[in-house]
Amino acid sequence: MSRPLKKISSKKRVFKEPLQAPKGVHDVIFPETVYFSKLEKICEELGEFFGYQKIEVPVIENKLLFEHGVGIDTDIVEKETYSFQTKGGDWLSLRPEFTSGIIRSYIQNGMDSWPQPVKLWTWGPLFRYENPQAGRYRQFWQADFEFLGSENPVTDAEVILLATKIVKAFGIKSSFIEINSIGCPECRGNYRKALKAYYRSKTRKLCPDCRSRLKKNVLRLLDCKNEGCLTLKKEAPEIMNYLCKDCSSHFRKVIEYLDGLNIAYVLNPFLVRGLDYYNRTVFELKPGMPETGQDAPSLLGGGRFDYLAKLLSGPETPACGFAIGVERMVEMISNKNFEPEVDVYLCQIGDTARGKLLGMLEEFRKARLKIGFDLGRDSLKAQLTSADRLKAPFALILGQEEVLREKIIFRDMKTGVQESLNLENLAEQIKKRLAKL
Ligand SMILES: [Zn+2]
Ligand SMILES: [Zn+2]
């Protein structure tokens, strides 16, 4: 039997209370980890099918990248990006989004000389200094897909198709797209003027934030969640009436493709997204039905960014992409239909059995069986409780006597019925029983 650890003096404790993670930052722990892995795997498989290559971009980038990429007047850069000066005097930022870093890498690595288009995807944590609230964290995960080197409207539809496929494969049965076009720099200029003229006469009814946004970037007013600003928005001019011929025909074609694919969508004339680099198509995906789900927070968002590469002093590269909010997706389905974690739980009694099981692990790995075990534990009851917690359908129990007889006890966790199995070809015998479940 193992003995309890020796006691240490309380004077040796460094903190009175255990330290907590910083505000707004969360641990990803079981069972969320299971859903994180599941979503990442779906992204990888569907991404591969659609021709995307994995890319890993750094967590830290030059501060200027986001100021020029995302936009210096955006909430993300102005209020939410963590920036710091290094000992060497450089200003760096923790990435608040993926697209700018991926385009920086595309330019730096000369990917414009690769066969076009270049499709890239990535997965990882991002950082924004936001007010923590349900589903919003200061370190959060995104899956990001970027289709670089095509200006054809069919690309927008292909990107949206991939987004809907991922959401469906993850188990979110109904969802729809909110879509809009925000035009090109040319036609958006006219829309900006109209929007400014509309809001200028109503300055006193705007929230303080919007009053300053009116001077800097009038499109940001359409993102405001303030009640008064939302009411004013209802009567605001819509961009559809200001799109140039090319932008208008691009958008019409995207919509035609979506119709052809039977993808549910609604036109949202005020969808602009909070980043400066977008042009033409912008979209978000929300759970539920278009009729009832429009107030739901979006699970993913994206759009076209034909000018970003040029803006970052690279070659002209029309592009389209989207980013999935991993935590939001996971919250949608976690705690529902939780899948069993292990196929079989291995229990042992005594040192001989412990050693024997340790040697048998490889057989289970080769057979690709998901197993649970805790070789350091003595009590059989505690081991069976673990088997229950992991929702293992079966347990195997190995004691001194079984080792000598080359046998093992097989237990059906649901019925409690036990039988004796030969150790030879054990994995195969387990697999047969799993197949009958
Ligand atoms: Zn245009
Ligand atoms: Zn406002």
Side-chain angles (χ1 to χ4, degrees):
M1 296 290 271
S2 39
R3 258 169 271 158
L5 291 176
K6 302 233 163 58
K7 288 210 172 70
I8 61 162
S9 149
S10 61
K11 280 180 196 148
K12 289 198 174 160
R13 286 193 191 155
V14 182
F15 308 106
K16 267 194 192 141
E17 298 288 334
L19 282 186
Q20 306 286 307
K23 190 180 169 193
V25 169
H26 70 129
D27 298 308
V28 183
I29 56 171
F30 182 85
E32 283 93 339
T33 40
V34 177
Y35 295 103
F36 266 60
S37 303
K38 184 181 169 186
L39 182 55
E40 190 177 8
K41 208 169 165 192
I42 289 169
C43 288
E44 188 178 359
E45 282 171 7
L46 280 167
E48 201 170 292
F49 175 78
F50 277 81
Y52 286 76
Q53 288 168 353
K54 187 89 186 269
I55 182 173
E56 300 284 357
V57 285
V59 169
I60 45 172
E61 294 272 9
N62 192 313
K63 182 169 174 261
L64 292 171
L65 175 67
F66 302 111
E67 290 181 354
H68 290 277
V70 177
I72 194 134
D73 294 334
T74 58
D75 277 359
I76 294 177
V77 167
E78 203 177 45
K79 299 178 186 164
E80 297 166 2
T81 299
Y82 288 88
S83 298
F84 58 95
Q85 201 168 19
T86 65
K87 284 177 184 162
D90 297 327
W91 275 98
L92 302 179
S93 294
L94 295 181
R95 59 186 186 196
E97 58 104 47
F98 276 122
T99 307
S100 304
I102 289 177
I103 292 295
R104 195 261 318 129
S105 172
Y106 176 89
I107 299 167
Q108 184 175 339
N109 294 294
M111 290 186 215
D112 58 309
S113 66
W114 294 10
Q116 301 291 304
V118 175
K119 301 180 183 183
L120 301 168
W121 87 278
T122 193
W123 167 284
L126 301 170
F127 305 85
R128 288 185 201 171
Y129 189 79
E130 289 194 273
N131 272 334
Q133 45 179 291
R136 246 172 219 256
Y137 303 99
R138 290 180 175 176
Q139 175 175 339
F140 58 99
W141 269 255
Q142 279 190 353
D144 190 85
F145 292 80
E146 312 293 5
F147 189 133
L148 311 169
S150 162
E151 57 181 335
N152 197 307
V154 77
T155 299
D156 311 35
E158 184 191 309
V159 161
I160 291 171
L161 176 67
L162 171 58
T164 59
K165 288 230 173 289
I166 290 171
V167 170
K168 202 163 184 193
F170 191 54
I172 296 167
K173 290 200 180 69
S174 65
S175 67
F176 66 97
I177 297 288
E178 275 192 9
I179 192 166
N180 190 25
S181 173
I182 53 170
C184 61
E186 192 190 307
C187 51
R188 198 163 46 222
N190 293 331
Y191 179 56
R192 270 216 181 90
K193 270 184 214 151
L195 210 54
K196 239 183 188 163
Y198 169 78
Y199 277 116
R200 210 176 272 142
S201 60
K202 299 169 177 61
T203 320
R204 273 188 300 151
K205 291 182 189 164
L206 288 170
C207 75
D209 268 353
C210 280
R211 252 174 261 161
S212 83
R213 284 177 187 137
L214 186 56
K215 288 183 206 117
K216 287 189 280 187
N217 190 344
V218 66
L219 287 180
R220 287 286 92 74
L221 269 76
L222 301 175
D223 284 336
C224 187
K225 300 279 180 284
N226 178 287
E227 280 296 326
C229 301
L230 282 173
T231 313
L232 284 181
K233 187 167 82 173
K234 284 180 190 152
E235 302 291 318
E238 298 184 3
I239 190 158
M240 283 304 142
N241 303 321
Y242 296 84
L243 291 183
C244 68
K245 220 177 119 219
D246 288 346
C247 287
S248 172
S249 112
H250 183 99
F251 190 58
R252 213 171 36 242
K253 279 182 193 145
V254 175
I255 294 299
E256 276 169 23
Y257 287 123
L258 293 187
D259 284 332
L261 288 165
N262 256 331
I263 291 174
Y265 65 87
V266 285
L267 303 177
N268 177 350
F270 300 122
L271 181 68
V272 287
R273 309 214 11 91
L275 304 94
D276 273 358
Y277 52 63
Y278 285 119
N279 67 294
R280 290 196 170 161
T281 315
V282 287
F283 65 91
E284 292 184 356
L285 181 144
K286 293 184 171 180
M289 309 294 252
E291 298 77 26
T292 51
Q294 290 189 37
D295 291 331
S298 57
L299 301 177
L300 61 86
R304 217 162 234 297
F305 45 99
D306 296 332
Y307 303 95
L308 182 57
K310 198 84 189 280
L311 202 73
L312 298 174
S313 307
E316 205 166 275
T317 312
C320 190
F322 66 93
I324 302 172
V326 174
E327 280 89 349
R328 287 240 181 102
M329 289 274 282
V330 168
E331 273 158 25
M332 285 292 299
I333 66 152
S334 56
N335 305 322
K336 288 174 200 158
N337 305 320
F338 187 66
E339 291 167 37
E341 247 310 88
V342 299
D343 297 324
V344 59
Y345 196 92
L346 314 179
C347 310
Q348 37 64 36
I349 310 158
D351 283 341
T352 315
R354 249 192 270 271
K356 179 80 180 169
L357 267 189
L358 197 55
M360 285 165 61
L361 294 181
E362 180 63 8
E363 183 186 349
F364 292 104
R365 189 192 65 80
K366 276 190 185 148
R368 293 182 169 273
L369 282 170
K370 283 189 264 174
I371 56 169
F373 59 92
D374 181 357
L375 297 178
R377 210 170 267 266
D378 294 314
S379 143
L380 177 61
K381 199 177 155 211
Q383 293 179 65
L384 288 172
T385 305
S386 297
D388 262 334
R389 283 187 56 188
L390 291 171
K391 300 194 175 146
F394 305 131
L396 289 168
I397 304 163
L398 191 67
Q400 177 102 357
E401 207 191 306
E402 282 77 25
V403 175
L404 292 174
R405 290 170 46 223
E406 293 279 307
K407 297 267 186 190
I408 196 162
I409 296 165
F410 173 89
R411 181 187 173 96
D412 185 317
M413 291 300 291
K414 215 173 204 172
T415 60
V417 174
Q418 300 193 161
E419 58 180 309
S420 180
L421 300 181
N422 288 325
L423 280 184
E424 207 184 339
N425 280 333
L426 182 60
E428 283 312 309
Q429 300 177 67
I430 305 294
K431 275 185 149 179
K432 268 186 204 146
R433 283 165 173 79
L434 279 168
K436 283 186 201 153
L437 280 179

